[in-house]
């Protein structure tokens, strides 16, 4: 609807100019994605980005016209009334166990800043561990919940680690840990991003740090896989960056070539070669799989920062990729925040479980949600919105009630000042989506008001036949004596 701020004639005059200017680098913004009061700042940011890009090829419309164009169609305020009603409590039984906090500590020097928690085999204690990354302390930590009531080991201290994966990178028979070190969590174009190899020391339960790649924009993810089919592990790297930095690169492992040719393999980092795959910034996750069943490993990228797209990078078997769009949002303020590859409908192919709930850039939006992107054998995938959840940053699937289909647990993260604004709202901060029939999910709450969760991991941690989950805490300012993460042990009876 066009208000008195802009006549129909004026709207028609400026629409083509705004479309040509604003939609040249990304999809045309939806006026409904921000309130009237926010559009001046949004427009000014767009003009600033164009000016700093160095481009001069577009016709620049008058600022006042652009502001009026969006404000005339924007809501006065968002409708938050649905979030004043509480969500039904989850009927399944869980027991919570905090980890990463000494019981005898009356307080802690800094709050937890855990960005990522993974259930990994790192070759220690003869069992998998919850491995998590803390940007507050720079720590990479492993926790074995089934060892002596819970055993924790500090693996390394880096800058600001945000993602960990396990593999044997050098083929020596020992499990290593690959860490994406963002370097600087706050939004900027710093060059502190790194990919760090925690290399297992032979015959020891310790790891040495080897920096494989440094001087990067903010690195969000690093995943090992043999992309060129030569028998060793390469790495695909999501360099999130910010405005002038960011890309996706393949780090080709040539350690075996160095060994065979008589080169010194001890200069380990020198034996990895960088290949740029995509030059866009904003990539969050790059999970690996053979998506099309051709025997070659592919990866799927969640690319945010205005692009707001999920894309399949299909491998020709030699480490070269072509792209297919799995999902493309209709608005650059969509707030893409994460993906998981999972066969949601158990039909034998991989779908995508997706969240859009980034509140650090444009704040919390009532359209933030959990999505299932259904793989029907063609691109793009079919979209299903499972529930709306402002601030949702992570979601994982698991059969929590043991009925043979997959349910979904999701957690929200709101930036500190925003979290305080929504303290009195009846917003669930941990949601359980119970699949009641094929493709139908019922939203229930496991926790309210505590919107401080960046990452979730799902598995049967104690191997009792019931699926558990762990969820991390990420706070930038001190608040009480919060643990690094919490394990939710599934207490429901096995069917």
């Amino acid at each position: 609807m066009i208000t008195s701020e802009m006549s129909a004639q004026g709207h028609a005059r400026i629409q083509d100019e705004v479309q040509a200017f604003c939609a040249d680098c990304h999809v045309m913004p939806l006026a409904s994605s921000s309130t009237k009061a926010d559009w001046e700042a949004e427009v000014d940011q767009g003009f600033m980005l164009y000016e700093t890009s160095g481009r001069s090829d577009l016709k620049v419309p008058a600022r006042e016209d652009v502001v009026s164009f969006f404000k005339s169609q924007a809501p006065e305020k968002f409708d938050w009334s649905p979030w004043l009603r509480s969500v039904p409590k989850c009927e399944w039984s869980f027991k919570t166990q905090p980890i990463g906090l000494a019981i005898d500590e009356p307080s802690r020097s800094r709050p937890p800043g855990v960005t990522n928690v993974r259930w990994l085999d790192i070759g220690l204690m003869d069992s998998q561990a919850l491995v998590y990354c803390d940007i507050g302390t720079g720590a990479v930590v492993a926790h074995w919940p089934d060892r002596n009531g819970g055993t924790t080991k500090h693996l390394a201290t880096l800058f600001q680690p945000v993602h960990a994966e396990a593999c044997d990178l050098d083929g020596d028979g020992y499990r290593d840990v690959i860490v994406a070190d963002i370097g600087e969590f706050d939004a900027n174009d710093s060059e502190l991003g790194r990919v760090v190899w925690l290399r297992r020391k032979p015959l020891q339960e310790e790891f040495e740090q080897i920096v494989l790649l440094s001087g990067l924009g903010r690195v969000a993810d690093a995943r090992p896989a043999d992309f060129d089919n030569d028998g060793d592990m390469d790495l695909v790297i999501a360099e999130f960056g910010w405005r002038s930095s960011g890309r996706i690169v393949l780090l080709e492992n040539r350690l075996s070539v160095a060994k065979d040719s008589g080169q010194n393999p001890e200069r380990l980092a020198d034996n990895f070669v960088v290949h740029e795959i995509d030059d866009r910034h904003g990539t969050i996750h790059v999970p690996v799989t053979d998506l099309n069943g051709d025997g070659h490993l592919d990866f799927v990228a969640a690319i945010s920062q205005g692009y707001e797209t999920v894309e399949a990078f299909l491998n020709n078997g030699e480490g070269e990729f072509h792209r297919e769009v799995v999902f493309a949002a209709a608005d650059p303020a969509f707030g893409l925040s994460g993906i998981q590859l999972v066969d949601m409908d158990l039909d034998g192919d991989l779908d995508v479980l997706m969240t859009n709930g980034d509140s650090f850039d444009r704040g919390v939006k009532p359209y933030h949600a959990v999505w299932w992107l259904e793989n029907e054998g063609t691109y793009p995938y079919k979209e299903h919105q499972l529930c709306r959840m402002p601030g949702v940053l992570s979601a994982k699937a698991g059969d929590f009630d043991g009925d043979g289909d997959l349910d979904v647990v999701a957690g929200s993260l709101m930036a500190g000042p925003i979290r305080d604004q929504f303290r009195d709202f009846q917003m669930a901060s941990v949601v359980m989506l119970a699949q009641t029939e094929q493709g139908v999910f019922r939203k229930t709450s496991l926790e309210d008001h505590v919107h401080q969760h960046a990452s979730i991991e799902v598995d049967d941690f104690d191997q009792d036949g019931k699926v558990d989950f762990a969820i991390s805490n990420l706070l930038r300012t001190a608040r009480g004596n919060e643990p690094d993460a919490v394990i939710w042990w599934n207490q429901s009876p096995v069917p």
Side-chain angles (χ1 to χ4, degrees):
M1 180 177 178
I2 299 171
T3 70
S4 57
E5 293 182 47
M6 175 176 285
S7 67
Q9 182 178 4
H11 178 92
R13 175 183 61 81
I14 193 61
Q15 182 170 4
D16 288 345
E17 292 185 26
V18 174
Q19 177 76 33
F21 180 69
C22 295
D24 186 76
C25 295
H26 50 68
V27 294
M28 179 70 171
L30 298 176
S32 58
S33 66
S34 292
T35 62
K36 290 184 185 294
D38 292 331
W39 266 114
E40 286 198 31
E42 297 290 353
V43 170
D44 286 343
Q45 177 177 254
F47 274 78
M48 179 272 294
L49 290 174
Y50 179 70
E51 182 179 347
T52 57
S53 72
R55 294 181 58 179
S56 59
D57 57 312
L58 299 178
K59 179 182 178 181
V60 180
R63 174 189 179 277
E64 293 75 15
D65 285 345
V66 180
V67 170
S68 294
F69 174 82
F70 286 111
K71 287 181 68 174
S72 66
Q73 304 169 80
E76 288 287 348
K77 59 181 181 179
F78 289 132
D79 179 14
W80 291 109
S81 59
W83 311 105
L84 298 173
R85 300 188 294 270
S86 61
V87 176
K89 294 296 182 183
C90 181
E91 59 199 32
W92 303 335
S93 177
F94 289 87
K95 180 178 70 175
T96 59
Q97 178 187 355
I99 61 174
L101 179 65
I103 296 174
D104 59 353
E105 290 183 10
S107 63
R108 58 191 301 163
S109 59
R110 64 182 66 194
V114 178
T115 54
N116 179 246
V117 57
R118 303 281 287 114
W119 184 239
L120 301 175
D121 176 9
I122 62 171
L124 301 178
M125 303 272 186
D126 296 321
S127 66
Q128 291 183 239
L130 286 167
V131 178
Y132 62 87
C133 300
D134 189 335
I135 60 170
T137 62
V140 181
V141 177
H143 178 81
W144 290 265
D146 61 343
R147 289 293 183 268
N148 303 317
T151 298
T152 300
K153 182 178 180 61
H154 181 274
L155 304 182
T157 299
L158 307 179
F159 293 159
Q160 292 195 324
V162 293
H163 193 99
E165 293 287 341
C167 71
D168 181 1
L169 193 61
D170 57 355
D172 65 353
Y174 292 94
R175 301 285 288 176
D176 309 309
V177 180
I178 307 301
V179 184
D181 189 345
I182 202 168
E184 175 60 56
F185 185 77
D186 294 329
N188 59 47
D189 282 309
S190 76
E191 297 180 347
L192 296 175
R194 305 185 300 170
V195 179
V196 181
W197 174 13
L198 301 184
R199 186 184 185 223
R200 174 77 179 277
K201 295 180 180 179
L203 304 178
Q204 300 182 51
E205 294 191 351
E206 302 294 333
F207 297 84
E208 62 176 329
Q209 296 183 29
I210 298 173
V211 178
L212 293 176
L213 208 55
S214 62
L216 303 175
R218 299 182 301 154
V219 177
D221 199 2
R223 308 274 180 137
D226 184 5
F227 288 110
D228 51 8
N229 293 315
D230 65 352
D232 55 29
M233 287 291 179
D234 311 299
L235 299 171
V236 60
I237 312 300
E239 183 185 351
F240 184 93
W242 191 40
R243 290 175 174 168
S244 62
S245 59
R247 56 184 177 157
I248 302 172
V249 300
L250 175 67
L251 204 54
E252 180 190 358
N253 185 344
R254 295 182 63 81
L255 283 170
S256 60
V257 175
K259 185 182 297 184
D260 293 342
S261 63
Q263 299 176 28
N264 182 4
E266 295 305 315
R267 297 184 59 182
L268 296 168
D270 295 342
N271 296 296
F272 290 82
V273 180
V274 176
H275 304 277
E276 183 173 280
I277 298 174
D278 192 278
D279 64 359
R280 288 171 292 179
H281 57 217
T283 300
I284 307 167
H285 295 152
V286 283
V288 174
T289 186
D290 179 2
L291 198 62
N292 53 9
D294 64 355
H296 307 312
L297 289 175
D298 316 302
F299 68 91
V300 178
I303 308 174
S304 62
Q305 284 286 88
Y307 296 107
E308 308 303 320
T309 181
V310 178
E311 298 184 11
F313 285 73
L314 302 176
N315 185 5
N316 68 358
E318 298 178 357
E320 298 176 349
F321 302 85
H322 77 270
R323 291 162 33 199
E324 294 284 357
V325 175
V326 173
F327 167 85
D331 188 87
F334 182 70
L336 181 60
S337 54
I339 58 172
Q340 180 195 14
L341 304 185
V342 60
D343 185 1
M344 285 294 297
D345 49 5
L346 305 179
D347 65 350
D349 56 29
L350 285 177
D351 310 299
V352 178
L353 184 62
M354 177 182 74
T355 56
N356 67 303
D358 181 8
S359 67
F360 283 81
D361 183 12
R362 301 167 185 260
V364 176
K365 305 290 187 179
Y367 55 78
H368 285 168
V370 180
W371 302 76
W372 164 31
L373 306 180
E374 181 184 0
N375 181 353
E376 296 185 316
T378 59
Y379 297 99
Y381 289 4
K382 184 177 180 181
E383 303 168 19
H384 305 273
Q385 186 181 102
L386 302 187
C387 79
R388 292 196 176 188
M389 186 179 181
V392 60
L393 209 73
S394 180
K396 289 287 180 70
D399 183 7
F400 291 98
D401 57 353
D403 66 351
D405 59 26
L406 293 182
D407 314 295
V408 175
V409 62
S412 68
L413 176 69
M414 297 183 184
I418 297 172
R419 186 190 308 121
D420 294 339
Q421 293 172 18
F422 288 92
R423 189 181 304 277
D424 295 331
F425 283 68
Q426 298 299 316
M427 288 187 181
S429 47
V430 180
V431 158
M432 179 65 74
L433 300 175
Q435 188 168 185
T436 56
E437 56 185 277
Q438 181 70 30
V440 178
F441 294 82
R442 181 168 60 89
K443 181 180 180 181
T444 65
S445 172
L446 284 167
E447 174 195 86
D448 297 327
H449 307 296
V450 190
H451 305 280
Q452 60 193 39
H453 308 301
S455 179
I456 297 174
E457 183 64 299
V458 168
D459 214 300
D460 181 2
F461 302 138
D462 54 4
Q463 299 183 18
D464 65 350
K466 294 176 287 189
V467 177
D468 315 299
F469 72 93
I471 191 163
S472 71
N473 285 322
L474 172 60
L475 298 116
R476 305 302 300 281
T477 56
R479 178 185 294 176
N481 212 20
E482 298 285 350
D484 292 339
V486 176
I487 301 175
W488 290 65
W489 296 107
N490 193 341
Q491 304 296 296
S492 299
V494 177

